[in-house]
Amino acid sequence: MMRYTVARILQAVPTLLLLSLVSFLLIHVVPGGPAVVMLGDKATPALIAQINRSLGLNKPLWLQYLIWLRQLLQGNLGYAYSYHQSVASLIATNLPRTLILVVTAITISHLIAVAVGIYQAARQNRPVDHVLTATLFFLYAMPTFWLGVLMVSTFAITLGWFPASGLYNPLLTHPSVGSYLYHLVLPASVLVIGSVAGWGRYMRSSMAETLVQDYIRTARAKGLSEGAVLIRHALKNSVLPLITLVGMSLPSLFSGALIIEIIFDYPGMGLLFWNAAQQRDYPILLGIVIMVGVLTILGNLLADLAYAVVDPRIKYQ
Amino acid sequence: MTFSQTTLADPPELPASELFGSRFRRIFWHHPLAWLGVAGLVGLVGFSFIGPLIYRANPYTLHLTAILQAPSARFPLGTNNLGRNMLARLMLGGQTSLEVGFAAAVSAMAIGVVYGLVAGYVGGWVDALMMRIVDLLRSIPGLFLLIFLDSLVTPSPGLLILLIALTSWHGVSRLVRAEVLSLKHRLFVEASLAVGGGAGHIIFRHLFPNVLGTVIVAATFMVADAVLVIASLSFLGMGLPPPVPNWGAMLADAMAYLPQHTWWLVYPPGLAVLWTILSISFIGNAFRAALDTRMDSSVRGGRVL
């Protein structure tokens, strides 16, 4: 386990380094270059010259990279000119909201996917299995943005059950947790519906594969009820691979959250990113690209390590 | 000197000319989804490209006396906030979606296939480095990268195709590389090496035909993904500039009028995207069954767009 952990962490390092290297090069591609990224609209020729000196733009490129990397590791992601504050503080405000949305969706989506997967595997090739398979396929092909618009128009505008936008009720001076949750329902539902299809399909095939194993026949032969066989013997073995699947789905979950945040005017990292793109506020754009990249790499790392913890058979090859 | 043993040792190899042979036809056309997918795609192409020849309405004309009209005999799918004919716009939107989607998928495949072939065949540190670049691309959510690149340039159809290709080729390259790794020590490759075949010859004459099945299946799904990406980008206001209609942008325009229950602005563009993705995915599934590639559904990366 120790060897696997170390090896897996070492495997993530080159990707992280490459991410930083590419981001560093992108800063130089961005109109205005690094000084503008750091200064924004405060950029006067004197200040630019000063920044260029302190950044060491007269130094060789590799040294510039090391200086920039040190700044990055200290949490300096530059200055967001359209917001008049540091990119790091903007991300610190917005990132948790996106994480709440994504983690809520992952949790609910998994509960549904596991339940549907077990149910389908237990009733393989019966009409209900086919109906569920077709439904999941349909949801899988459903464009997130259309689903979002349909949810707003149906549940927020026509029925008026849920709020169409925002993080909490703006009329409350001290919004309660309930207000936050109430506003989370629709955006999270869209992300759940978008992600449940893939995981549900995976659970069904994983369960179906497990159900033909010898130890399942043994469990049945010793007289266990079908429910006990499904839950205690089959489920435990088929649910584990889902952990790595979560890690791999992180990029698409973030992309989905981006669209959803814009539709529901939910002020997370996606909405911040989108607004920054309209303003061409490159420090924010680059900062968030680095941030989601790091989060995805670390998320994958965590998922793989968690999988190795729950399944001791995993060895680093 | 003969290599008759190779045919015994290797599983039967599938020459490119026979990839779409009788075995393919038998399985493909017996796949229940194949018919549905082909019919759906033919309908879509007919609607987008032949439709405008039959239904001759200008998608750009502003009917200012008839804005936000519900479907009627004059406007079968109603009009938008500028009084533009929605049916004509839906057709033209289909053209751009299919053209850009197809071109982006072909470009991405070209990059990904060559990249995967080279990485897999050359191996060693070149492969390791090339795969780290793929890892990097995989770890940045595609939509974020696309929006960032989009903000650096002024979008045009050609540039959009290039951007989508640049952000989506890496999935294919991994598949191709994995296949090449298992192929390159097979006897037919070693035989070619033994009689003096060069790297280029081996890659394109021996390896490429053998990964073609995988490539075709992946390409099919990639067209669907590219159509979705264009629609998503346009929905976010980042795709092609107006007034060229696009399904995503049409839906984005509809959002402002949701309180007025303008259902005819909301359903057709969304259904069109869903229709396209479903048809192409059906064909992809049938291709996968018929070409017998070992690819699983993770090819599409479990996207949530």
Side-chain angles (χ1 to χ4, degrees), chain B residues 176-280:
Chain B
V176 170
R177 171 182 172 269
E179 291 238 335
V180 169
L181 285 184
S182 76
L183 285 171
K184 74 172 179 182
H185 295 300
R186 295 259 290 271
L187 281 174
F188 64 91
V189 176
E190 300 197 339
S192 178
L193 261 178
V195 296
H201 172 82
I202 292 175
I203 287 177
F204 288 103
R205 278 306 179 77
H206 296 287
L207 296 176
F208 180 65
N210 279 285
V211 299
L212 199 58
T214 306
V215 168
I216 291 168
V217 176
T220 316
F221 286 113
M222 195 169 273
V223 175
D225 276 359
V227 169
L228 185 66
V229 167
I230 300 153
S232 304
L233 265 185
S234 316
F235 178 78
L236 300 177
M238 306 274 166
L240 295 170
V244 180
N246 180 289
W247 293 335
M250 286 164 72
L251 204 57
D253 294 341
M255 281 207 55
Y257 303 96
L258 287 182
Q260 298 172 38
H261 302 290
T262 50
W263 55 269
W264 61 94
L265 298 180
V266 175
Y267 285 89
L271 273 175
V273 179
L274 182 64
W275 180 284
T276 313
I277 295 169
L278 276 178
S279 308
I280 299 174

Side-chain angles (χ1 to χ4, degrees), chain A residues 11 14-15 18-19 22 26 29-31 137-138 140-146 149-150 152-154 157-158 190-191 194-195 201 248-256 258-259 262-263 269-270 273-274 277-278 280 282 285-286 288-289 292-294 296-297, chain B residues 33 129 132-136 138-145 147-155 228 231-232 235-238 247-248 251 255 258-261 266-271 273-274 277-278 281-282 285 288 297-298 300-305:
Chain A
Q11 200 196 340
T15 317
L18 202 59
L19 175 67
V22 171
L26 280 177
V29 174
V30 157
F137 200 95
F138 189 75
Y140 196 64
M142 188 86 179
T144 300
F145 61 89
W146 190 42
V149 172
L150 289 184
V152 170
S153 94
T154 310
I157 291 172
T158 307
V190 178
L191 203 52
S195 57
R201 270 165 49 151
M248 291 195 298
S249 320
L250 279 178
S252 50
L253 282 167
F254 281 126
S255 291
L258 171 81
I259 294 178
I262 291 160
I263 294 175
M269 212 167 49
F273 189 78
W274 188 69
Q278 315 279 325
R280 312 244 153 166
Y282 295 108
L285 292 176
L286 258 175
I288 291 181
V289 166
V292 284
V294 170
T296 311
I297 295 170
Chain B
L33 293 180
L129 181 68
R132 290 297 80 73
I133 294 173
V134 169
D135 281 351
L136 174 69
R138 257 158 49 89
S139 66
I140 301 175
L143 208 51
F144 282 83
L145 196 56
I147 292 177
F148 176 75
L149 293 176
D150 192 275
S151 74
L152 289 174
V153 298
T154 317
L228 185 66
S232 304
F235 178 78
L236 300 177
M238 306 274 166
W247 293 335
L251 204 57
M255 281 207 55
L258 287 182
Q260 298 172 38
H261 302 290
V266 175
Y267 285 89
L271 273 175
V273 179
L274 182 64
I277 295 169
L278 276 178
S281 304
F282 285 162
N285 275 312
R288 181 160 57 208
S297 58
S298 66
R300 301 189 60 198
R303 49 137 207 92
V304 196
L305 268 181

Side-chain angles (χ1 to χ4, degrees), chain A residues 42-75:
Chain A
K42 287 186 197 158
T44 61
L47 269 176
I48 289 177
Q50 193 194 333
I51 280 280
N52 282 352
R53 254 196 319 277
S54 70
L55 283 175
L57 286 187
N58 45 357
K59 298 194 176 93
L61 207 61
W62 61 270
L63 201 60
Q64 286 182 42
Y65 168 65
L66 290 181
I67 294 169
W68 175 82
L69 192 62
R70 200 178 62 189
Q71 295 265 318
L72 186 70
L73 290 175
Q74 286 168 351

Side-chain angles (χ1 to χ4, degrees), chain A residues 32-312:
Chain A
V36 170
V37 168
M38 302 290 289
L39 289 168
D41 55 0
K42 287 186 197 158
T44 61
L47 269 176
I48 289 177
Q50 193 194 333
I51 280 280
N52 282 352
R53 254 196 319 277
S54 70
L55 283 175
L57 286 187
N58 45 357
K59 298 194 176 93
L61 207 61
W62 61 270
L63 201 60
Q64 286 182 42
Y65 168 65
L66 290 181
I67 294 169
W68 175 82
L69 192 62
R70 200 178 62 189
Q71 295 265 318
L72 186 70
L73 290 175
Q74 286 168 351
N76 183 1
L77 288 167
Y79 186 81
Y81 31 94
S82 54
Y83 288 85
H84 301 291
Q85 52 176 308
S86 75
V87 173
S89 71
L90 272 174
I91 291 181
T93 319
N94 288 270
L95 178 62
R97 297 171 183 158
T98 301
L99 288 182
I100 287 174
L101 176 63
V102 170
V103 171
T104 308
I106 291 178
T107 313
I108 298 174
S109 184
H110 270 81
L111 294 177
I112 300 175
V114 168
V116 171
I118 297 173
Y119 185 76
Q120 276 194 277
R123 283 174 179 60
Q124 263 179 72
N125 297 324
R126 302 228 199 119
V128 64
D129 178 29
H130 295 307
V131 169
L132 280 170
T133 301
T135 311
L136 288 186
F137 200 95
F138 189 75
L139 292 180
Y140 196 64
M142 188 86 179
T144 300
F145 61 89
W146 190 42
L147 188 64
V149 172
L150 289 184
M151 295 284 257
V152 170
S153 94
T154 310
F155 294 105
I157 291 172
T158 307
L159 296 171
W161 290 353
F162 295 100
S165 66
L167 195 59
Y168 52 80
N169 187 345
L171 299 175
L172 299 172
T173 40
H174 298 288
S176 60
V177 175
S179 181
Y180 280 101
L181 287 180
Y182 189 45
H183 282 73
L184 193 61
V185 173
L186 283 187
S189 306
V190 178
L191 203 52
V192 165
I193 295 174
S195 57
V196 80
W199 290 331
R201 270 165 49 151
Y202 184 85
M203 259 319 278
R204 180 194 176 276
S205 64
S206 178
M207 275 294 276
E209 243 169 66
T210 311
L211 284 178
V212 294
Q213 299 293 321
D214 287 341
Y215 59 84
I216 295 295
R217 198 172 26 181
T218 310
R220 283 195 179 124
K222 69 182 182 186
L224 283 184
S225 72
E226 192 58 26
V229 171
L230 282 177
I231 304 296
R232 247 187 283 153
H233 292 265
L235 176 63
K236 270 189 188 167
N237 282 293
S238 10
V239 84
L240 293 182
L242 270 184
I243 298 174
T244 34
L245 214 59
V246 174
M248 291 195 298
S249 320
L250 279 178
S252 50
L253 282 167
F254 281 126
S255 291
L258 171 81
I259 294 178
I260 289 166
E261 286 178 10
I262 291 160
I263 294 175
F264 291 94
D265 202 17
Y266 182 89
M269 212 167 49
L271 191 61
L272 176 66
F273 189 78
W274 188 69
N275 284 330
Q278 315 279 325
Q279 308 280 336
R280 312 244 153 166
D281 195 330
Y282 295 108
I284 301 183
L285 292 176
L286 258 175
I288 291 181
V289 166
I290 296 174
M291 202 67 210
V292 284
V294 170
L295 280 176
T296 311
I297 295 170
L298 293 183
N300 266 310
L301 177 66
L302 271 182
D304 282 359
L305 293 182
Y307 188 45
V309 170
V310 293
D311 191 343

Side-chain angles (χ1 to χ4, degrees), chain B residues 5-93:
Chain B
Q5 273 186 330
T6 48
T7 47
L8 290 176
D10 285 330
E13 211 186 309
L14 215 58
S17 57
E18 278 179 29
L19 201 60
F20 290 102
S22 60
R23 181 182 169 278
F24 171 85
R25 285 197 297 271
R26 195 179 63 240
I27 301 179
F28 183 82
W29 293 115
H30 281 88
H31 198 285
L33 293 180
W35 286 97
L36 219 56
V38 169
L41 193 62
V42 167
L44 190 73
V45 171
F47 175 78
S48 310
F49 290 92
I50 303 172
L53 304 177
I54 299 165
Y55 182 75
R56 292 169 168 279
N58 189 327
Y60 297 112
T61 310
L62 308 174
H63 302 276
L64 292 175
T65 50
I67 59 168
L68 290 176
Q69 297 263 306
S72 61
R74 189 170 164 224
F75 301 109
L77 284 180
T79 60
N80 70 1
N81 54 317
L82 296 171
R84 282 180 171 145
N85 187 322
M86 290 307 277
L87 178 59
R89 288 182 78 71
L90 199 68
M91 288 171 172
L92 198 57

